[in-house]
Amino acid sequence: MDGTVLWQRPSETWAEFAARLEALRGRQRAFARLSVAARAAVLLRFADRLEAAKADLARMVCEEVGRCLRECEAELDKSVELVRYYAECAPGLLAHKDVATQAEVSQVRFEPLGVVLAVMPWNYPVWQVLRFAVPAWCAGNACAVKPAPSVGRVSEALFELAGEDLPLAAAWLAHDDVAAAVARCDALAFTGSSRTGRLLAAHAGRHLKKSVLELGGSNAFLVLADADLEQAAKDACYSRFRDAGQSCNAAKRIIVEKPVMAAFRALFLAECAKLQTGDPMQPQTTLAPLHRADLRAALHEQVCDAVQNGARILCGGYLPEGAGTFYPATVLADVNRRCRVYHEEVFGPAAVLMEAEDAEDAVRLANDTPFGLGASIYTADKAAAWRYAAMLHTGAVYINRHTSSDLRLPFGGIKDSGYGRELSEFGLYEFVNVKTYWQK
């Protein structure tokens, strides 16, 4: 977060990776021969190691990513919960399914694909690796993981915790070798930008490899006229500015019905004014620095472009002096379709505040985006909320709550937010061969 080099290593050669990939295939075959219950037991032991190391890992994430320490601790807690959740439910979900047909025996089984290559981002370096890897392991797959270079230290620590029990190999590949790795592996998981997702999906498609893409988001946060405005303002502020705004699933476009816009705006700006920038290790800090200087510069360019095209800055919107990659909580009003922030993902602490004529117009504005990850609707009329939720083009809708993820529910999007699902049983079934057996 301040440019200090904490860890570095060179990229490995293609020959080095190819040799370790071949060894990983052997480990995968042995691991797949274990029963699902036996694989679950391995994962439970890993969960214990992860829990014992969570304080050290959270501190590493804080130092490397720049997020507030308590946010990093929450990432580790959720990651431990994820491992134990799948260890508990996988034996039942992956059990053979008998199907009544004219055959003496007809059955569906869930078998591994082989080695899943994962290209992972920097913002949640433990959670996002495990979110794909744990269900893949449950199914008997092996995982080759290319972490983001800027979080190499915590990634290496995570890989060491996995140990020899779990079929995992780091892929310290140069970017130019990723396409060849896609061709050599059996499936692809990617979390990151829509631009890079398109490139990797093209490589996977060329070789007919199954892929799951969790890409960008520009989640709408709809506040209807009968909403609890105080709660909506608190939730909108928390969702937009947690993790320094560097989350694909954050509220980014706050769309408010015209009759309550003035009241909501005052409440929202009051919440934003409470945010405190500072050392992310300190408990009083509520707005952490951005991960890198280039990310801050890109965010500021989007804000400046919005102003040049008619938007107004209600707070923030400037580059602070001094050390670090801090950016103030920024709120933009009067955003229109000429502004880049109307169409692009804003990956940092800048919120777009938009006014809707009525609820139907709010839904229209919410859908007027290339992205389709999640959305929230705040209203006292729950029946109406469900009607509007069905009209939103997203992978998830939360009513009277900000968007989030739950281990028990599928997570993923549509349109430029990608395809496929993670978490729940749906995430478990993404990297399996759903195989039919028939016996006369």
Side-chain angles (χ1 to χ4, degrees):
M1 59 187 173
D2 63 2
T4 301
V5 176
L6 299 172
W7 180 95
Q8 60 183 355
R9 61 154 291 153
S11 299
E12 63 188 341
T13 67
W14 175 254
E16 290 170 333
F17 172 72
R20 287 195 302 107
L21 179 60
E22 198 57 36
L24 183 62
R25 287 198 179 281
R27 292 174 61 197
Q28 184 272 323
R29 287 189 288 269
F31 190 67
R33 286 193 290 269
L34 298 176
S35 68
V36 181
R39 296 198 289 267
V42 173
L43 283 166
L44 286 174
R45 293 194 293 271
F46 170 61
D48 292 341
R49 297 195 298 274
L50 187 64
E51 186 171 42
K54 70 179 184 180
D56 289 339
L57 290 173
R59 182 169 289 272
M60 287 185 194
V61 175
C62 181
E63 291 172 345
E64 294 182 39
V65 176
R67 288 175 24 232
C68 293
L69 180 59
R70 68 179 173 280
E71 295 170 340
C72 303
E73 291 168 342
E75 176 185 349
L76 267 296
D77 286 336
K78 192 171 183 179
S79 297
V80 173
E81 185 184 2
L82 168 79
V83 181
R84 290 179 175 151
Y85 163 80
Y86 272 114
E88 179 181 344
C89 70
L93 293 173
L94 293 171
H96 307 332
K97 311 294 184 188
D98 290 316
V99 180
T101 69
Q102 70 272 32
E104 181 182 350
V105 177
S106 48
Q107 198 173 75
V108 175
R109 297 189 179 189
F110 305 100
E111 299 180 356
L113 296 179
V115 176
V116 183
L117 173 70
V119 180
M120 293 285 104
W122 50 263
N123 53 338
Y124 300 100
V126 175
W127 165 252
Q128 283 170 318
V129 168
L130 295 182
R131 190 174 66 187
F132 111 85
V134 171
W137 281 327
C138 285
N141 294 293
C143 301
V145 179
K146 182 187 185 303
S150 59
V151 289
R153 183 182 59 154
V154 69
S155 299
E156 185 172 65
L158 178 63
F159 300 157
E160 289 175 358
L161 272 180
E164 293 300 313
D165 289 346
L166 291 164
L168 170 69
W172 303 108
L173 289 167
H175 292 320
D176 291 345
D177 287 329
V178 172
V182 171
R184 288 284 293 272
C185 293
D186 303 297
L188 168 70
F190 172 70
T191 298
S193 71
S194 300
R195 178 181 177 276
T196 304
R198 283 188 173 88
L199 295 173
L200 291 177
H203 292 312
R206 188 172 299 120
H207 299 282
L208 297 179
K209 307 292 185 178
K210 174 67 184 294
S211 59
V212 171
L213 306 181
E214 200 273 282
L215 308 179
S218 190
N219 290 4
F221 188 102
L222 280 64
V223 182
L224 304 190
D226 61 351
D228 180 338
L229 298 184
E230 267 191 52
Q231 189 62 55
K234 288 178 182 177
D235 288 359
C237 181
Y238 171 78
S239 180
R240 172 63 285 202
F241 298 110
R242 67 182 173 90
D243 303 322
Q246 298 172 124
S247 169
C248 62
N249 203 31
K252 295 176 182 172
R253 296 173 301 128
I254 302 166
I255 303 170
V256 185
E257 273 200 84
K258 188 173 185 176
V260 295
M261 172 57 94
F264 175 85
R265 182 171 56 232
L267 290 166
F268 182 61
L269 290 174
E271 291 296 323
C272 295
K274 297 175 186 176
L275 295 168
Q276 294 186 44
T277 59
D279 182 351
M281 290 287 185
Q282 300 304 314
Q284 67 270 23
T285 300
T286 51
L287 184 59
L290 274 75
H291 180 52
R292 297 192 312 264
D294 63 308
L295 299 173
R296 183 177 73 162
L299 172 66
H300 191 58
E301 285 179 8
Q302 289 177 305
V303 170
C304 292
D305 169 83
V307 173
Q308 291 165 7
N309 284 286
R312 290 184 298 123
I313 295 176
L314 302 184
C315 65
Y318 61 90
L319 284 172
E321 296 181 357
T325 52
F326 295 97
Y327 198 80
T330 298
V331 180
L332 295 167
D334 299 337
V335 169
N336 56 73
R337 298 189 97 259
R338 298 189 306 274
C339 304
R340 287 172 53 197
V341 296
Y342 190 99
H343 307 283
E344 297 177 359
E345 180 175 24
V346 180
F347 213 66
V352 172
L353 196 56
M354 305 170 72
E355 185 174 274
E357 292 297 322
D358 52 30
E360 287 75 14
D361 189 43
V363 171
R364 180 190 66 78
L365 289 169
N367 285 334
D368 192 19
T369 174
F371 298 99
L373 186 56
S376 297
I377 303 175
Y378 279 70
T379 176
D381 188 343
K382 293 180 180 176
W386 281 83
R387 290 198 307 274
Y388 296 131
M391 298 163 62
L392 291 169
H393 305 155
T394 62
V397 179
Y398 282 67
I399 297 171
N400 293 327
R401 192 186 189 281
H402 59 83
T403 46
S404 184
S405 62
D406 187 305
L407 305 176
R408 298 158 295 187
L409 295 170
F411 178 76
I414 60 173
K415 302 194 292 186
D416 283 11
S417 291
Y419 52 76
R421 292 295 180 265
E422 296 178 308
L423 303 180
S424 78
E425 68 265 33
F426 298 98
L428 184 63
Y429 295 143
E430 286 287 2
F431 293 119
V432 298
N433 175 16
V434 183
K435 189 171 176 181
T436 295
Y437 286 80
W438 197 98
Q439 175 186 312
K440 186 175 179 180

